Amino acid sequence: MAVTGRADWSGVYARPNSSYRPRIAAPAAGPAVNTYTTTLIGAEREGAGRCTVTQHLEGDFPGGTVDPHYRFTLDQGLISRLDIAP
C-alpha cells in the first residue's frame, strides 16, 4: 500500500550532537514543501523492546528517493526512543 503526503520542512529540528542531519535546505524565498509517496518495505523485531520499520519514499525532494529506517525502542509498551536514518 502506498501513501501520498506533503511535507513542510520549515520546522525541521535536529537534536544537538545527533549524528543525523536532514539534507533538505529551505530556499531563501520560503519554506520547502515537498510531495512524496511512501511504501512500507518491512518491519521486524530486534529483541525485547526494539523494532525497525523500513519504508521507501519517492518524491520531488532533493535526491528523489530514500529508504529510511525507523528504529523504535519501547519501554513498557511506549516509545522511549526513535532513531530515523537513511
Side-chain angles (χ1 to χ4, degrees), residues 18-74:
S18 172
S19 60
Y20 175 70
R21 295 283 187 259
R23 292 182 292 191
I24 298 174
V33 177
N34 301 104
T35 56
Y36 61 90
T37 300
T38 180
T39 305
L40 177 65
I41 294 175
E44 61 184 68
R45 289 197 177 268
E46 299 172 353
R50 295 184 57 197
C51 63
T52 297
V53 174
T54 305
Q55 290 188 313
H56 178 73
L57 275 72
E58 291 186 29
D60 60 0
F61 51 87
T65 63
V66 66
D67 292 336
H69 302 275
Y70 302 88
R71 292 182 178 91
F72 296 89
T73 301
L74 304 174

